[in-house]
Amino acid sequence: MSRIEQLITEIEEYIDSCKFQPLSTTKIIVNKEELDELLVELRLRIPDEIKQYQKIISNQEAILSDAHSKADAMLAEATAQTNELVNEHEIMQKAYAQANSIIEQAQSQAQSIVDNAVADANNIRQSSIQYTDDMLKSLQTIINHSMEGAQSRFDAFMNSMKSSYDIVSSNRKELSAGVITEKEEENAEA
């Protein structure tokens, strides 16, 4: 298991261990510092794993180089055999035919090796891209979940403040109505 996968597992376990918000079974309370630490480490680890995948992809060059070397060796062997056969005058026609056959086989094998190497390198590249995309998708989901939780806590706070504000406004109106009435009574008595 890679360190990125371990970090994602730790983030999931951390979220699972968080307490639920009062009166909610879906919203949780998250310690921002702990989650930030895990996310920072995850950001730092992603480039390392991408470098590992790039090293794997760079091995494609070595595979292709090896395939070319083998093909060149086969061609050199075929050429040497051709030269030997040409020197023997009686079997010159047979030598040309055999040499051409060997060259075709060598070229066919070399092309097959190169094709297989390119296909393997492309498969590795696609797998690394898919893996990185999956990791980023998981991270995106975690961040979105955290943002939704923060938004719901903020909305609950604003509703509570609005309710308190409405009560204070109502109480002030009641008080101001009583103050005016007492002043009017004093003026009426005078």
Side-chain angles (χ1 to χ4, degrees):
M1 177 184 277
S2 71
R3 182 60 186 141
I4 288 179
E5 290 170 318
Q6 289 174 350
L7 282 170
I8 289 175
T9 300
E10 286 178 30
I11 291 171
E12 290 172 342
E13 288 173 357
Y14 171 71
I15 289 173
D16 289 340
S17 71
C18 289
K19 293 181 179 178
F20 283 97
Q21 201 175 42
L23 305 176
S24 175
T25 57
T26 58
K27 307 295 182 194
I28 59 172
I29 299 172
V30 177
N31 182 325
K32 184 179 183 313
E33 289 180 10
E34 286 182 41
L35 189 57
D36 281 348
E37 286 175 15
L38 291 170
L39 292 174
V40 165
E41 186 174 351
L42 184 61
R43 277 192 202 97
L44 293 174
R45 294 290 180 172
I46 288 175
D48 290 340
E49 291 207 6
I50 289 173
K51 286 177 189 173
Q52 289 176 352
Y53 296 132
Q54 287 173 338
K55 284 181 185 178
I56 291 170
I57 290 170
S58 70
N59 284 340
Q60 172 185 354
E61 298 291 330
I63 293 169
L64 291 173
S65 176
D66 184 48
H68 286 295
S69 296
K70 287 180 181 177
D72 290 342
M74 288 179 183
L75 288 173
E77 182 181 333
T79 302
Q81 287 180 1
T82 301
N83 288 338
E84 278 181 32
L85 294 174
V86 168
N87 290 335
E88 298 175 24
H89 183 58
E90 292 180 20
I91 57 169
M92 191 164 52
Q93 292 297 326
K94 189 175 180 182
Y96 278 123
Q98 190 175 4
N100 286 335
S101 174
I102 291 171
I103 289 172
E104 287 176 11
Q105 285 178 348
Q107 288 175 337
S108 175
Q109 287 178 351
Q111 188 60 48
S112 176
I113 290 169
V114 168
D115 290 346
N116 287 339
V118 168
D120 287 346
N122 286 337
N123 287 339
I124 290 169
R125 183 177 158 273
Q126 286 299 321
S127 295
S128 66
I129 289 170
Q130 183 62 47
Y131 175 77
T132 302
D133 184 57
D134 290 344
M135 294 299 106
L136 291 174
K137 181 180 178 184
S138 295
L139 180 59
Q140 187 178 22
T141 301
I142 290 167
I143 291 170
N144 187 44
H145 180 72
S146 296
M147 287 170 40
E148 288 174 357
Q151 183 65 44
S152 68
R153 287 191 302 277
F154 177 76
D155 290 343
F157 173 75
M158 288 304 293
N159 287 337
S160 173
M161 291 299 289
K162 175 71 172 137
S163 174
S164 296
Y165 178 82
D166 291 342
I167 290 170
V168 169
S169 294
S170 173
N171 288 341
R172 283 195 68 219
K173 282 181 184 176
E174 287 179 18
L175 286 174
S176 66
V179 169
I180 292 170
T181 304
E182 289 176 8
K183 284 183 180 178
E184 290 174 356
E185 287 178 4
E186 289 174 8
N187 289 336
E189 292 174 0

